[in-house]
Amino acid sequence: MLVFEYQCRVSFRNPLNHEKAAEVISGYIDRALGKREDYLDFHKSREFKYYCFDLPYPFESSRVYEAGKVYTVRIRTVKQDLAEYFSQMLPYQRTGEVYGRGGDLKIITKKMLECVYSLTPILMKDPDYGYWRTHMSLDQYEEWLKVNLIKKYNHFTGKKLDENFQLYELMEFKNRKPVRCDYKGITLLGDKISFITGKNETAQELWYFALGAGLGNSCSRGNGFMNYRYL
């Protein structure tokens, strides 16, 4: 398993508020997926998508991206065919809000990870209860994070991991209050979290996987994108 990163260069047709960026980039990626029938079916399916992306950078202190300026969006995936498709199609995609300006494809080196931390909010979608703190303890939330990541990994690899291992040594919330995740008129709440990784083989494999597939729910909508630091 390898993690691929496509560094996609884009420009916006009009000034764009930071809060709308994830939705706009999602639409841009969706447009590319809709160009081929098999990827359109993949996009419409309810299966794991195995890709994630961060917000455009450089980040503007005004919280408004400038029209015409070139920004970079990192799109990661553990699916090589999808990474190659993105690199072939995204430079030529246009929507009413964004257009491609080229990009570069690389592989994230697989080395011992010291820590991973979310650049976009980690989201838990619960249609019955909403934000997890209203109905779950911290222990339950931590268990959910681990189980959700293992489930996604097992589905991708066809393996069944033994869940008796230490995924991380330390978990630290970086937000004092929930972080808004706006999409199509709906506001959900997530968290930005930093983890000191477990140094066992299983934990390292899962965290490397999370770099490409994201952590939590709705990663293909701009949530759960993880950055990293090597040991």
Side-chain angles (χ1 to χ4, degrees):
M1 182 188 67
L2 294 172
V3 173
F4 300 87
E5 179 178 284
Y6 181 58
Q7 297 179 355
C8 182
R9 293 186 289 275
V10 300
S11 291
F12 301 108
R13 298 185 186 276
N14 300 292
L16 180 70
N17 289 331
H18 173 269
E19 290 77 11
K20 297 292 184 181
E23 184 174 350
V24 167
I25 297 301
S26 292
Y28 171 67
I29 295 172
D30 293 348
R31 175 69 64 88
L33 292 172
K35 296 293 185 179
R36 214 172 83 181
E37 186 173 354
D38 54 342
Y39 283 113
L40 178 61
D41 291 341
F42 165 73
H43 165 62
K44 291 181 176 179
S45 73
R46 298 183 65 86
E47 66 184 74
F48 293 121
K49 296 300 188 286
Y50 302 116
Y51 73 87
C52 57
F53 64 88
D54 67 351
L55 295 179
Y57 68 89
F59 185 78
E60 302 290 355
S61 59
S62 64
R63 299 184 66 84
V64 176
Y65 293 108
E66 299 175 12
K69 183 175 178 178
V70 179
Y71 296 92
T72 299
V73 177
R74 289 177 294 181
I75 307 170
R76 295 206 196 119
T77 181
V78 289
K79 294 171 64 70
Q80 181 173 349
D81 64 318
L82 189 59
E84 293 173 349
Y85 184 75
F86 283 152
S87 69
Q88 294 163 5
M89 298 297 292
L90 286 176
Y92 308 104
Q93 295 311 301
R94 304 287 189 273
T95 71
E97 298 167 299
V98 61
Y99 53 96
R101 300 287 294 269
D104 301 290
L105 182 62
K106 71 172 191 176
I107 294 173
I108 301 295
T109 304
K110 195 171 187 179
K111 295 166 58 176
M112 181 70 74
L113 295 165
E114 179 183 15
C115 70
V116 297
Y117 49 97
S118 58
L119 294 183
T120 62
I122 297 169
L123 185 65
M124 176 184 181
K125 290 176 66 176
D126 191 327
D128 296 322
Y129 297 99
Y131 185 49
W132 69 270
R133 288 185 186 272
T134 64
H135 63 281
M136 295 177 73
S137 68
L138 179 58
D139 286 344
Q140 289 173 319
Y141 179 69
E142 291 183 83
E143 180 66 14
W144 175 82
L145 283 174
K146 181 178 180 180
V147 169
N148 179 268
L149 181 57
I150 291 173
K151 180 180 179 181
K152 195 183 298 187
Y153 176 84
N154 285 346
H155 187 270
F156 179 74
T157 63
K159 299 178 180 179
K160 185 171 178 58
L161 289 181
D162 181 352
E163 298 183 14
N164 185 26
F165 67 95
Q166 184 179 24
L167 181 61
Y168 51 86
E169 299 172 1
L170 178 67
M171 169 179 165
E172 180 182 4
F173 287 87
K174 294 300 184 179
N175 51 289
R176 293 186 177 181
K177 59 182 181 178
V179 182
R180 289 169 56 101
C181 307
D182 295 330
Y183 188 76
K184 292 187 176 180
I186 299 173
T187 297
L188 301 173
L189 300 176
D191 296 280
K192 290 191 175 181
I193 310 175
S194 177
F195 302 88
I196 302 299
T197 64
K199 300 307 183 288
N200 59 83
E201 183 177 349
T202 303
Q204 288 290 311
E205 175 78 358
L206 279 171
W207 285 122
Y208 181 71
F209 174 77
L211 297 182
L215 186 63
N217 295 148
S218 295
C219 299
S220 63
R221 302 294 91 181
N223 296 296
F225 184 91
M226 310 300 291
N227 210 353
Y228 59 95
R229 185 169 68 240
Y230 294 125
L231 189 65

